[in-house]
Amino acid sequence: MSSAFFIRACATAALAAWLAGCASAPPMPPATNLFHDDLFAAPSEPVDPGAALAVSAEMQRYVHDRLASLSRFDDRKRQLFDALYKQGELQLEYDAAITRTAAQAFDARSGNCLALVMMTAAFAKEMGLAVRYQIVVGDDAWDRAGDLYVSVGHVNLTLFDKVAPFGGSGFIETDAMTVDFVPPRDGRKQRVRVVPERTIVAMYLNNRAVEALAAGQRSDAYWWAREAVRTDPDLLSAYITLGVVYRNTGHADFADAALRRVNEREPDNTKALSNRILVLRDLGRQDEASALARRLEQLDPHPPYSYFLQGMAALRERRVDEARRLFEKEVERAPYQHEFQFWLAVTHLQLNQPAQAAEHLERAIRSATTRRDHDLYAAKLDRLKALTSTH
């Protein structure tokens, strides 16, 4: 299969194409005729939206035994924040390999930022705090799994105290505190968009679909993507994932129906356009595919990974200096993508520039989003240092 472009939430952090679901846009029409359950085997595990934010018995005990010891005059938000970050408490580890539920992230003390946001929200609500979920606008990055290219975005949350108004009913929210597991690296103020909880749950379901597809579990990927669309019909990324699943299982006509729905809402959505071009070619509709390809070229003349792929081709042909220049272009526009930093280090090493190679390996280590990648780059750096110290 050719490469596919789609969206996962918060794997290094959550968003790109689903930013189109803005508050002023009308709701998506019902997703009729998009699902074809008879084409897929039953899921290998329950696909349960309710599990995403469910509080386990162990989490309840942690709240009551460790977090409920403060008096009512103490700041519960600060207490939760300290538990998340202070050594000796949860000691969370960031790992983007899989998207866990809130309870799974607590058990593992590890997760990507979406899982950690869900875990924090679950704890906050158990403690009587109010929660607001936010998408960080324009903070998307790219990753890949095999020939699947994944747009990765960023989500965080804000915690509030719930205070009963004097002489009134209900609650008001006071004293906000934002928790972000991947704070901005450049120090700039973030632009955010508030989303309802169903969007966060749908992001979790969509992530699971992406991860299942990357692992070759196509039936599981279908059921996760299907439930993401059902949970939040305005999450455009879920339709893209569903379309990619259909194409990867040889159902290009159904793939086009899912992807077309995104472009009807957002005509310039480059992720949907990229996939529709592949689908239309599968269907033999070459003229339509060519027209969309020309439009995509105008919208995005240098798509993600384009310089990287050219660099890899140059490296295979032993045009090492050209490969270095191409990798540098990718690093310039995506400095925190660990794979770009690693291959730039490779070119410097082949050009007999060990100091520059070590520098980019160190950046790859700092940018790694999984423990596996971190350890892989660290081992390569250790070998490089051992080699250079003997000369």
Side-chain angles (χ1 to χ4, degrees):
M1 288 283 180
S2 301
S3 299
F5 294 83
F6 57 110
I7 297 165
R8 178 166 66 175
C10 220
T12 137
L15 241 34
W18 53 57
L19 291 177
C22 55
S24 60
M28 288 286 274
T32 56
N33 302 321
L34 283 187
F35 305 135
H36 302 278
D37 299 356
D38 56 311
L39 300 175
F40 299 91
S44 62
E45 62 178 292
V47 178
D48 179 13
L53 287 154
V55 177
S56 65
E58 291 79 8
M59 292 173 73
Q60 289 177 331
R61 278 195 292 272
Y62 185 82
V63 169
H64 298 147
D65 294 347
R66 299 296 297 273
L67 300 181
S69 59
L70 294 184
S71 75
R72 64 188 180 92
F73 296 107
D74 290 310
D75 188 343
R76 292 169 296 167
K77 301 186 302 302
R78 174 57 60 180
Q79 187 182 21
L80 178 55
F81 181 87
D82 288 346
L84 296 172
Y85 285 97
K86 264 191 175 179
Q87 192 171 5
E89 285 294 337
L90 292 180
Q91 299 186 46
L92 299 175
E93 179 179 348
Y94 188 88
D95 189 347
I98 60 171
T99 304
R100 297 181 169 98
T101 65
Q104 290 167 343
F106 175 72
D107 289 342
R109 301 299 197 269
S110 176
N112 63 24
C113 93
L114 181 59
L116 298 180
V117 161
M118 293 193 301
M119 186 196 74
T120 305
F123 272 130
K125 291 193 289 183
E126 185 73 11
M127 296 170 69
L129 296 167
V131 176
R132 184 176 70 203
Y133 303 98
Q134 296 150 165
I135 289 168
V136 180
V137 178
D139 197 25
D140 53 298
W142 285 87
D143 203 354
R144 67 171 181 162
D147 64 353
L148 301 177
Y149 291 83
V150 186
S151 179
V152 182
H154 189 168
V155 63
N156 62 28
L157 77 166
T158 298
L159 309 178
F160 301 87
D161 288 311
K162 292 195 294 187
V163 179
F166 180 76
S169 60
F171 294 94
I172 58 174
E173 298 173 346
T174 63
D175 298 328
M177 173 185 285
T178 296
V179 179
D180 195 324
F181 291 94
V182 185
R185 292 179 168 106
D186 56 11
R188 289 183 299 178
K189 183 176 176 61
Q190 295 175 326
R191 292 190 304 119
V192 299
R193 183 170 67 84
V194 177
V195 295
E197 188 168 273
R198 69 173 182 274
T199 300
I200 297 297
V201 174
M203 289 177 184
Y204 159 75
L205 298 165
N206 189 59
N207 272 25
R208 291 299 306 271
V210 172
E211 291 156 6
L213 188 59
Q217 301 163 351
R218 295 174 178 175
S219 289
D220 281 352
Y222 168 76
W223 294 106
W224 288 108
R226 177 187 188 275
E227 199 59 38
V229 170
R230 285 166 49 89
T231 299
D232 186 356
D234 291 317
L235 185 64
L236 299 187
S237 56
Y239 297 91
I240 296 177
T241 303
L242 183 64
V244 174
V245 171
Y246 279 135
R247 181 173 184 261
N248 273 259
T249 52
H251 303 290
D253 48 349
F254 298 148
D256 188 48
L259 295 167
R260 191 169 61 246
R261 175 170 283 240
V262 177
N263 284 141
E264 288 169 355
R265 164 64 67 85
E266 193 177 66
D268 292 342
N269 186 307
T270 58
K271 284 77 178 175
L273 288 173
S274 299
N275 286 292
R276 282 201 72 203
I277 291 166
L278 302 176
V279 166
L280 291 172
R281 288 172 179 164
D282 292 344
L283 293 169
R285 293 156 59 180
Q286 300 299 336
D287 290 344
E288 292 177 72
S290 296
L292 285 188
R294 289 191 294 271
R295 183 167 169 208
L296 182 61
E297 172 70 17
Q298 293 175 337
L299 292 170
D300 193 6
H302 302 291
Y305 276 84
S306 58
Y307 297 130
F308 174 79
L309 295 175
Q310 294 172 41
M312 293 298 289
L315 199 57
R316 285 192 296 269
E317 297 168 4
R318 300 188 182 281
R319 294 180 282 117
V320 180
D321 201 50
E322 183 179 353
R324 176 189 58 79
R325 288 195 297 269
L326 289 163
F327 293 150
E328 284 175 345
K329 286 187 175 182
E330 285 289 19
V331 165
E332 183 178 356
R333 63 180 182 174
Y336 303 111
Q337 216 296 340
H338 57 91
E339 192 175 16
F340 300 160
Q341 295 285 357
F342 170 72
W343 284 102
L344 183 53
V346 169
T347 60
H348 279 297
L349 191 59
Q350 293 192 15
L351 292 168
N352 196 27
Q353 299 167 338
Q356 292 92 326
E359 177 186 348
H360 289 287
L361 274 176
E362 289 170 353
R363 293 180 185 178
I365 293 169
R366 292 196 298 270
S367 302
T369 57
T370 68
R371 171 56 58 184
R372 175 182 174 276
D373 287 334
H374 178 280
D375 293 348
L376 174 65
Y377 300 143
K380 291 182 180 298
L381 180 60
D382 288 343
R383 284 199 293 274
L384 174 59
K385 289 179 176 178
L387 285 171
T388 54
S389 65
T390 60
H391 291 81

